[in-house]
Each structure stands twice: as C-alpha cells, then as structure tokens.
C-alpha cells in the first residue's frame, strides 16, 4: 500500500484526499490543515486523521474541540509521498520539510515550474515522473490543454496551436475574487502563462495562448484553434479520436447543454461528488475542420480536473504502475469517463 499524505486541505486537497481513499493500492495517512474551519471538521467526520500544519496553532484545534493526530512533520515522516495542495507559493516554502524527511512531494500548478524536477500530466508525460523527488501537477487549464493536444499531436501533428482561455474570476467559495462586473483581457500582453506552461509538458509544441477573466465561478472555457500538419478530411475523424480518450467528454448535441451552468447541473444530476467534472468537456458539434485548421470549444472544471492527475502522479513517482494501468485504475475507481 502506498501511504499518502495531503498537506493543504482546501479546494484541491480535499478532493485528492477523497480520491486517494478510493484507490485499492493507496492508504490516506492523514491530511494537514492550518485552521479548525468547516473543512477540518469535515475531514474528521470522514475519519481522516487530521494533523496541524502550523505547530503554534495546535491550541486553536483543541479550543474548537477537534482532535489532532499530530503535526505535519509527523505526517510527512509517516508517508511514502506527500501531495502538497497549499496555496500558490506555500508549496515552495514546504519543500525543505519534505526533503528533510526524504519524502517525495507532488505540488500543484500554482507553484513555479523551476521548483520541481518534472511538471506532470498523465496523458502527456507520465513516464518522466518516475523516481523524481519533486513533481508539479500542472494547473487546471494546462491539464485541459495537455489532455487535448496529446492525441491531436500524435494523430495529425501540430503545426501551431492558438488558444483563448476565458477564465472564471474565482472558485465559488472565493468570495474576495473578481471581476464582478467586467471582462478583462488578462494578461493584456501575449502570451498568457498557459502556453509556456504547456511547454513544460510538450517542450517542442508551438502554442500561443491569450487569457481573459470574466465574472463567473463555475468553469473555464477554451476557444481552441490548432493548425494541423496532416489534417483529416472530416471533423468526424477528430471526434472519433477524442471520444477514445477517457478524460475527454464529448458533449452530445442532444444533451442541449449550452454552457457551464448546464454542465454543472448535469454533474449534480448524475451524482458526481461536489458536482465535479474531472473530464475536459468538449462541445461535440463545435469540433470543426476548415482546411488545415481544427476548431473547438471546451469547458474545464478548475476545481476537479487535476484530481485524477494527482492520483496518477503518485503511482508515477513511485514507479508503481505504468501509464495505462494507472489511468485505468484511477478512472475506474473514481468513475472518470462520461
Ligand atoms: P485553497 O485555498 O482552496 O486550499 C489551500 C489550503 O491550504 C487551504 O485550506 C489553506 O488553509 C491551506 N494552507 C494554507 N497554508 C498552509 C500551510 N502552510 N500548510 C498547510 N496548509 C496550508 O487553494 P486551492 O484552490 O486548493 O489551490 C491549491 C493549489 O492548487 C494552488 O497551487 C493552486 O494554484 C492549484 N490549483 C488550484 C485550482 C483551483 O481552481 N482552485 C486548480 C488547479 C490547481
């Protein structure tokens, strides 16, 4: 059994912890939190051993009547691998602690690529993570782009990809984020950081990205244009190619899903935990071929698409399964694939 610790139990951390408990080859040693808020209480209710991320704050948990299993250093020492899901920049501060206990660490997309040995996407570069001590699971948007571009590159060759990312202003719980009434080119200058981030997975891929931010919390939406080296005659061929990928969901036209609101409604209706959509959601009828150019729209659920990737990264780092085995096991246990 792979003993997994989760340090940082927020939007990403709590989802990764739940996914780890579903894996037959993994055991969740515990989760670390800074504050005794509702998420701390829920972790305890789920039976997850809870550790204090900051020693000086142990008394806050005691005052709140929340029982602790220990401190984060004890958790890191007891684990074979730690998933750091702390806010951007805190992972970098934690690196020395993981090194002190010789525990391999996975970080999230908010950390700099320079912090780690390898940036990771299961479909894109699974094998490169084997044996690495510090691995970064790339951001929600980079995960969405990597999953899409990997099969397209393999089948047709990518001459150039151009993507405009219409990004949600914040997650539903991030009440302090915005904009609340604006449409922002963000950043105003090219490229947005997403293109260079995709190049941490596919160094040779030619990609330009532009970013915008809008007053929405549900999902991101990508407008994708890929000039292909060897374009197929018909868009149906591309649809068939994408439909074979378990982490790409082709939204059928008959579903009458016109945006992120109905996508989330669908996720709740089919009983997805937290209304999560782990797959890229690609509008089937948007997939078009014009000469050498492929066009499509996809929506990305920022809070959850990186979760199966974290599970795979755990196995990749420890060399416990090859890409196909790991992705299949993760998909089956979590129920990924629509
Ligand atoms: P979050 O704020 O929801 O959760 C972070 C958690 O870490 C919080 O519970 C916070 O209290 C806790 N924390 C803060 N300092 C800590 C410390 N020193 N030790 C332990 N825990 C600490 O953040 P998030 O959205 O889950 O983001 C985490 C990482 O995942 C970031 O790198 C982010 O860029 C990345 N990411 C976020 C999203 C998203 O849309 N939310 C998507 C993909 C990747």
């Amino acid at each position: 059994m792979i003993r997994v610790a989760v340090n940082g139990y927020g939007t990403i951390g709590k989802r990764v912890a739940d996914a780890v408990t579903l894996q037959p080859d993994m055991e969740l040693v515990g989760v670390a939190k800074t504050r005794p808020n509702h998420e701390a209480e829920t972790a305890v209710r789920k039976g997850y051993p809870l550790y204090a991320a900051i020693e000086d704050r142990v008394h806050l948990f005691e005052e709140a009547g929340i029982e602790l299993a220990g401190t984060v250093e004890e958790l890191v020492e007891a684990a074979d691998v730690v998933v750091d899901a702390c806010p951007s920049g805190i992972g970098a501060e934690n690196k020395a602690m993981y090194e002190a206990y010789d525990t391999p660490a996975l970080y999230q997309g908010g950390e700099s690529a320079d912090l780690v040995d390898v940036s990771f996407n299961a479909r894109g570069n699974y094998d490169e993570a084997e044996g690495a001590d510090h691995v970064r699971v790339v951001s929600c948007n980079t995960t969405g782009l990597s999953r899409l571009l990997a099969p397209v590159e393999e089948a047709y060759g990518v001459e150039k990809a151009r993507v405009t990312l219409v990004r949600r202003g914040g997650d539903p719980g991030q009440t302090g984020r915005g904009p609340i009434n604006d449409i922002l080119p963000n950043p105003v200058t090219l490229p947005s950081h997403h293109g260079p981030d995709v190049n941490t997975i596919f160094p040779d891929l030619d990609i330009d990205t532009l970013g915008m931010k809008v007053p929405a919390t549900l999902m991101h939406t990508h407008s994708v244009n890929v000039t292909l080296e060897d374009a197929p005659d018909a868009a149906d061929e591309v649809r068939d190619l994408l439909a074979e990928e378990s982490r790409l969901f082709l939204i059928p036209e008959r579903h009458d899903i016109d945006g992120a609101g109905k996508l989330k409604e669908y996720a709740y209706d089919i009983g997805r935990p937290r209304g999560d959509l782990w797959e890229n959601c690609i509008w089937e009828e948007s997939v078009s071929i014009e000469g050498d150019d492929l066009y499509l729209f996809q929506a990305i659920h920022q809070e959850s698409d990186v979760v199966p990737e974290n599970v795979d990264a755990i196995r990749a780092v420890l060399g416990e399964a090859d890409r196909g085995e790991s992705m299949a096991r993760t998909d089956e246990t979590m129920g990924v694939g629509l």
Side-chain angles (χ1 to χ4, degrees):
M1 288 291 251
I2 307 171
R3 291 167 299 170
V4 182
V6 175
N7 187 20
Y9 191 74
T11 305
I12 302 297
K14 63 189 176 188
R15 288 172 166 83
V16 171
D18 287 354
V20 164
T21 64
L22 298 173
Q23 306 308 309
D25 52 345
M26 297 183 194
E27 176 198 343
L28 181 69
V29 197
V31 302
K33 268 213 68 73
T34 49
R35 291 171 294 143
N37 68 356
H38 70 97
E39 284 163 331
E41 235 175 83
T42 310
V44 173
R45 203 175 308 141
K46 287 184 178 212
Y48 301 166
L50 182 69
Y51 291 75
I54 299 173
E55 210 167 340
D56 294 352
R57 297 203 195 158
V58 167
H59 69 98
L60 295 178
F61 289 87
E62 287 166 354
E63 284 158 25
I66 295 178
E67 199 179 323
L68 289 172
T71 62
V72 66
E73 303 222 359
E74 294 169 277
L75 174 63
V76 171
E77 189 174 17
D80 298 319
V81 58
V82 56
V83 179
D84 184 297
C86 292
S88 304
I90 306 285
E93 292 174 16
N94 289 334
K95 186 176 182 181
M97 170 171 62
Y98 306 142
E99 281 180 334
Y101 291 101
D102 213 8
T103 306
L106 308 183
Y107 305 86
Q108 305 306 311
E111 301 301 327
S112 153
D114 299 337
L115 181 73
V116 296
D117 311 315
V118 183
S119 291
F120 178 87
N121 170 257
R123 181 64 177 80
N125 68 344
Y126 184 96
D127 292 344
E128 287 173 29
E130 184 168 350
D133 289 328
H134 303 280
V135 171
R136 181 180 72 116
V137 175
V138 291
S139 75
C140 46
N141 280 312
T142 308
T143 294
L145 290 174
S146 300
R147 284 177 180 169
L148 173 71
L149 292 170
V152 171
E153 162 68 18
E154 285 163 17
Y156 310 118
V158 171
E159 193 178 304
K160 183 159 187 101
R162 300 173 183 85
V163 182
T164 301
L165 300 100
V166 181
R167 299 151 67 201
R168 59 85 176 103
D171 293 341
Q174 291 178 313
T175 44
R177 300 257 302 235
I180 59 170
N181 182 24
D182 214 333
I183 301 162
L184 309 178
N186 183 272
V188 175
T189 50
L190 265 67
S192 71
H193 72 270
H194 308 93
D197 208 32
V198 168
N199 288 137
T200 67
I201 304 292
F202 306 108
D204 300 326
L205 194 98
D206 190 355
I207 178 167
D208 284 343
T209 54
L210 296 86
M212 300 181 72
K213 258 194 195 179
V214 296
T217 62
L218 299 177
M219 298 178 84
H220 303 293
T221 304
H222 298 172
S223 168
V224 178
N225 165 218
V226 187
T227 305
L228 302 169
E229 285 169 358
D230 187 14
D233 296 329
D236 271 346
E237 258 190 64
V238 185
R239 290 189 191 110
D240 291 346
L241 175 83
L242 301 182
E244 278 171 30
E245 302 279 324
S246 65
R247 295 183 187 174
L248 302 181
F249 166 44
L250 288 183
I251 308 164
E253 197 170 353
R254 64 174 188 282
H255 275 19
D256 203 15
I257 288 176
D258 60 1
K262 287 202 184 78
L263 272 172
K264 291 287 288 174
E265 193 71 8
Y266 178 57
Y268 284 118
D269 286 349
I270 60 174
R272 281 291 176 88
R274 300 186 178 92
D276 283 349
L277 285 158
W278 302 296
E279 307 83 355
N280 295 21
C281 301
I282 300 170
W283 276 274
E284 191 174 53
E285 71 268 35
S286 76
V287 177
S288 310
I289 292 286
E290 298 286 334
D292 291 335
D293 284 303
L294 165 67
Y295 294 91
L296 60 83
F297 286 117
Q298 65 174 2
I300 300 294
H301 185 220
Q302 74 279 0
E303 297 173 287
S304 70
D305 74 329
V306 299
V307 175
E309 308 297 326
N310 272 274
V311 174
D312 291 327
I314 291 169
R315 293 195 191 96
V317 164
L318 300 176
E320 291 287 342
D322 66 26
R323 177 182 93 182
E325 284 166 358
S326 180
M327 288 182 71
R329 201 177 303 159
T330 304
D331 291 348
E332 196 192 326
T333 52
M334 289 181 67
V336 176
L338 286 167

